[in-house]
Amino acid sequence: MIDPEDLITDDILAYLKTQEEKGLLRFITCGSVDDGKSTLIGRLLWDSKLIFEDQLTELRADSKRLGTQGDEIDYALLLDGLQAEREQGITIDVAYRFFTTDKRKFIVADTPGHEQYTRNMITGASTANVAVILIDARKGVLTQTKRHSFLVSLVGIQNIVLAINKMDLVGYSEDTFDAIKEEYEDFVSGLGFKEIAAIPVSALKGDNIIEQSNNTPWYRGKTLIDFLETVEIDNISVDQPFRMPVQWVNRPNLDFRGFSGTIASGSVRPGDEVVVPSSGKTSRVSRIVTFDGDLKYAFAGQAVTLTLEDEIDISRGDMLCAPDARPAHAAQFEAHLVWMHEDALLPGRSYLIKMGANTAPAMVSDLKYKINVNTLEQQVGKTLELNEIGVCNISVDKEMTFDPFNENRSTGSFILIDRYTNATVAAGMIDFALRRATNIHRQPLDIDKKVRAKMLNQKPRVVWFTGLSGSGKSTIANHVEKRLHSMGKHTYTLDGDNIRHGLNKDLGFTNADRVENIRRVGETAKLFVDAGMIVLVSFISPFRSERRVAREMLDDGEFIEVYVDTPLEICEQRDPKGLYKKARSGALKNFTGIDSAYEAPENAEIVLHGAEKDPEELAEQVIKMLFPSN
Amino acid sequence: MTHLRQLEAESIHIIREVVAEFENPVMLYSIGKDSSVMLHLARKAFYPSKAPFPLMHIDTTWKFREMIEFRDRVTAEYGFDLIVHINPEGLEKGIGPFTHGSALHTDVMKTEGLKQALDKYGFDAAFGGARRDEEKSRAKERIFSFRTSNHRWDPKNQRPELWNLYNTKVTPGESIRVFPLSNWTELDIWQYLYLEDIEIVPLYFSALRPVVERDGLLIMVDDDRMPLEPGENPEMKSVRFRTLGCYPLTAAVESTAASLPEIVQEMLLTKTSERHGRVIDRDQSGSMEKKKQEGYF
């Protein structure tokens, strides 16, 4: 074999040719601060000659100043990028490293081992094909080793390297190695890994990293690099049924209508039949268009533009699929959820779900159980805190196209986004659809909202009064209802008195219960609207996101948000039910305005200044808004 | 798929996602080799359509003349709309690297200039050509990197980024910087330029150019604004640039590499990293992280 360095010198064109053919492997390293993870990655970069002289000079200076290896080079310092981390001597976030050998290019996700940073590990693992799990040979299999293994299995990684590190500190003992290997294999037997390669290494000394070590004559397996260069990365995605989420509709002119996207799984040729599950329409692929010319064949991972033989309605978020192996198409599914934000999950709250190219409002309708990441035991729970994992039912506002995650990593994964902070709050992996909606066709009912509304001679709507306790909501709503009644309108009022004491009497005043309370009120209001009624809702409804959920249940223009804006001092002065007094004295917990937040509307249809006018005048403002011609 | 084709597909996916999800995206065009790759990928991503966003160059008035010629010619040839922004206050005050030092010059003309331009046009997403292998703080940055309404980056409060599902949500005033070349290395860039036969500024190739040596770095005398120290005499040397920026802040390397394969050959046999030639990085340890927090790309 020719030494690549000679090839670079002698025939650079030939060298470039060999480099073009290289593959790519993404892997993640898991371990704690003390397992020598940064040292291991530093060593890989070092040995693959990716450290330049200026970086080496800097590294030498840093090693003296900050290093933990005396006068030796501290490879870990190559990696710790952010200043704060350097000072603490730990890695706090996901960092990506690159190195290359003659066979493959590698992207390494370097993630921390601290418990509070589970989210970073899930993030790093989500794009990896292989996980390198580090164990300190002196310590053996720890709780965190189990946690890491569970997490990587959760995101679908099937190939594991168990790097038993610091072998130099246990005298390169075969017995120690065997004992750890056995204990580990025993623990992970239920996690569905396809391959586990245990390798005795010393990242610091370089044993079995690139070269077979003379210190471990009893070990006959591959070195770490050998394994990474040769491990078969699943080609499963190419063998799976064809899926391509439509990312962008490509329409340069009237004669061309293409669908751009990255093929998620399977392959496609011109002439292949494809189906769009959202409409059930089928067509055939006519061309696979790329900048470099049309293709005869395209497969998973490629970013292409397809044109179809028929003009069918397709937009971003739709998926082109193999008709003989269709994905699920449903609005409800069960999923594993990893919570990634300091604000805990609130079941019933509306989040945004992003799945492929599809984004829609969604909520966790039922948290079935939590999983203890250390013991894998199921636990009951009402919510998920940061770094907790649970199994739950998710209900989306519209039907989505997906596959179970264990069949397709790409079409079975999603994220949840908080609608107010825009933070990414959770990562999800779909278990299965809850309703096989693909086989169900909705029967439109003959008598619908429109027909009922016509008979009642009115436009059904929800007039939603929100504001602090004592702001005057119910009084104003009462006047509005009287006026509507006198106008011959058919009305109904939902308020605390008839809902809290009946339908919602099982709910308290925690944030989770408040969310559920408003969800039920919204659903009830929706039924009344469907019946053709004008519904007056009078609830404090303190959270913007819940009011938005209620708004989104209805059609455009059906939801009128009335913000009764009365200052807290006035409400407290009025205190019609003596509740503020109780709340101030501590006898009443979670009282809105006192020890629970009220989020004022940002875009209410009407704002009523409750301190400035009397309720009858305010009611008249609402009537004018509802019936401008009167 | 080979690693280059995988990187290409990933970048195209990212570029398309921005166009599909943002209202007013822009591509920052620095005229360098990474920008050339990014431009090429943008053309690929939307073919046969034209890329549906403008390019923007934050000029400092100190770029190499050949860069400006290249910029105007290439963007016109490919039919891109080009916005050129120069910080008017900096221009008025005559801010320059020789008179005000590299740090102030970069801060006013690049960082401030960029923020002004983003605000002026109300861009909600801006593509940049930065790569994670360039510098340690970049290694931790997301592909979709959130910026506050003050353009600040908070390295400790980044959105988790999973699979290829990018959170593109921002409220008005906030923005996202998007780095489609995050996972490319310097070698990948050169290989791809070669493989795809992409045109780059000739300054990357060796030629006889007038240079002076300062603090161990070779600086090209690109125009007569460069004050020469006593005893400094521009010499014609065979040099090229591994990275391009403001000419007084960009060091040349002596080289005879006049083609892409020769550049790759030289790069693989050389022992200094690419950013070594950038004067601004050497000011202090962690300087890039600070600059990024303040809004630098």
Side-chain angles (χ1 to χ4, degrees), chain A residues 5 7-13 15-16 19-24 26 49 51-55 58 62 65 77-86 88 91-98 100 105 107 119-120 122-124 126-127 155 247-248 250-252 256 260-262 289-293 299-305 316 340 352 354-357 359 405 409-410 413-415 417 420-424 426-429, chain B residues 1-10 12-21 40 43-50 52 131-142 144 146 153 155-171 174 181-188 190-192 194-196 242 260-262 264-277 284-287 289-290 293:
Chain A
E5 198 124 347
L7 195 57
I8 294 169
T9 315
D10 299 340
D11 189 350
I12 184 67
L13 293 178
Y15 174 80
L16 284 172
Q19 296 303 297
E20 276 169 27
E21 307 297 327
K22 276 201 295 204
L24 174 65
R26 294 173 197 246
K49 301 193 182 95
I51 312 297
F52 294 108
E53 262 171 22
D54 54 318
Q55 290 171 322
E58 198 184 333
D62 285 356
R65 199 157 54 89
L77 291 176
L78 275 173
L79 308 180
D80 293 338
L82 301 180
Q83 274 188 329
E85 293 172 30
R86 279 191 170 199
Q88 291 165 24
T91 316
I92 56 165
D93 200 357
V94 191
Y96 296 89
R97 317 290 175 190
F98 306 86
T100 185
K105 168 184 166 139
I107 302 179
R119 71 169 161 197
N120 294 333
I122 290 283
T123 304
S126 70
T127 50
V155 295
Q247 204 181 0
W248 189 69
N250 195 335
R251 235 174 337 187
F256 187 93
S260 300
T262 304
V289 179
T290 78
F291 181 85
D292 303 297
F299 54 92
Q302 287 185 294
V304 294
T305 297
R316 173 175 165 85
M340 303 195 144
L352 287 178
K354 182 163 185 182
M355 190 189 283
T359 305
F405 183 77
R409 259 175 108 172
S410 176
S413 51
F414 62 89
I415 56 171
I417 299 168
Y420 287 92
T421 64
N422 290 328
T424 303
M429 289 132 291
Chain B
M1 266 203 279
T2 66
H3 75 289
L4 288 176
R5 292 302 165 211
Q6 287 190 53
L7 291 171
E8 178 188 64
E10 178 184 75
I12 288 175
H13 180 84
I14 291 162
I15 294 170
R16 284 174 175 169
E17 192 66 8
V18 168
V19 163
E21 296 246 316
H40 187 71
R43 294 172 66 211
K44 284 197 167 192
F46 303 103
Y47 179 86
S49 295
K50 285 206 307 184
R131 310 184 318 265
R132 284 170 173 161
D133 78 324
E134 275 177 86
E135 202 273 332
K136 282 188 229 173
S137 66
R138 292 220 199 273
K140 306 208 165 186
E141 188 165 9
R142 305 293 188 246
F144 282 62
F146 178 79
W153 178 56
K156 292 224 171 131
N157 191 20
Q158 300 194 78
R159 295 172 177 177
E161 204 160 78
L162 297 114
W163 298 291
N164 59 358
L165 298 172
Y166 302 104
N167 178 349
T168 57
K169 296 291 166 193
V170 289
T171 55
E174 296 169 347
L181 305 180
S182 287
N183 289 327
W184 296 58
T185 62
E186 185 182 8
L187 183 57
D188 295 330
W190 287 117
Q191 285 181 341
Y192 188 74
Y194 174 64
L195 186 69
E196 296 279 306
R242 292 178 65 183
L260 282 171
E262 283 168 3
V264 174
Q265 185 175 37
E266 204 173 84
M267 192 194 119
L268 290 171
L269 299 174
T270 189
K271 297 292 173 208
T272 51
S273 73
E274 177 188 33
R275 296 194 71 86
H276 188 62
Q284 60 185 128
S285 166
S287 67
E289 186 186 338
K290 280 213 182 72
Q293 287 186 27

